[in-house]
Amino acid sequence: MAKLVVLTEGFTGRTLELATAKTTLGRVDDNQFTLPEPSVSSHHCEVWLKGDDLVVKDLGSTNGTFLHEVQLTAEKEGTLKPGQILRLGQVELRYETGKKQAEQPRQTVRLGEGSTLVMTKEAGFGKKNNKVNKIFLGVGILLGAVTLLLLALAFLKLGGSNS
């Protein structure tokens, strides 16, 4: 089943199962999918399935609707391929179809007639999670402490041999 999976912290795990009928996304309760986040407009965008693609239309949002960091304009619809990211203001959602990544076509964003952005990079570097950052910080602090200790011992040894 095709769905949008929310990636942004605080909304992680929320999903929207998609249909061919238009679905509105926004901050207020009269949308079919509500994202109560200040950067999301009251009625932010609408989405619907067209084959394996997800068509997205911005509804004049304040903070923008982005398909792989390319902003949609209210006049044009955009097409999202499986695995690509949709951003509403500061909220990121990934479009998934349930197919394995290898089976999915290469990532292309269509921005209306004559405008296409092809993403050729198949696997990117993601952001490090907090656990990885804490490990690097801990190792850095430990190495710094050991270095200071060795320097202190070296100075004490030099100071003691001068007497």
Side-chain angles (χ1 to χ4, degrees), residues 4 6-11 14 16 23-47 56-66 86-93:
L4 281 172
V6 183
L7 304 174
T8 302
E9 197 172 322
F11 298 100
R14 291 195 57 203
L16 166 65
T23 302
T24 58
L25 290 80
R27 191 178 64 241
V28 296
D29 290 335
D30 64 346
N31 291 286
Q32 284 96 355
F33 192 67
T34 307
L35 292 162
E37 206 279 329
S39 68
V40 175
S41 291
S42 298
H43 299 96
H44 202 99
C45 70
E46 59 186 13
V47 298
V56 181
K57 182 178 181 185
D58 184 80
L59 297 175
S61 64
T62 303
N63 293 312
T65 301
F66 298 83
L86 168 66
R87 182 166 59 85
L88 312 179
Q90 298 300 313
V91 178
E92 289 189 339
L93 305 100

Side-chain angles (χ1 to χ4, degrees), residues 65-85:
T65 301
F66 298 83
L67 305 181
H68 264 304
E69 297 305 318
V70 176
Q71 185 170 5
L72 289 181
T73 60
E75 303 85 45
K76 292 185 180 179
E77 299 169 350
T79 304
L80 204 60
K81 298 287 186 186
Q84 291 184 322
I85 301 296

Side-chain angles (χ1 to χ4, degrees), residues 120-160:
T120 56
K121 190 164 108 178
E122 292 296 323
F125 293 99
K127 294 179 182 176
K128 294 179 186 171
N129 63 26
N130 274 344
K131 185 176 181 181
V132 172
N133 287 339
K134 288 178 183 175
I135 290 171
F136 277 112
L137 182 61
V139 169
I141 290 171
L142 181 63
L143 287 174
V146 168
T147 302
L148 288 175
L149 179 65
L150 290 173
L151 284 171
L153 288 173
F155 281 118
L156 287 174
K157 190 172 184 179
L158 283 176

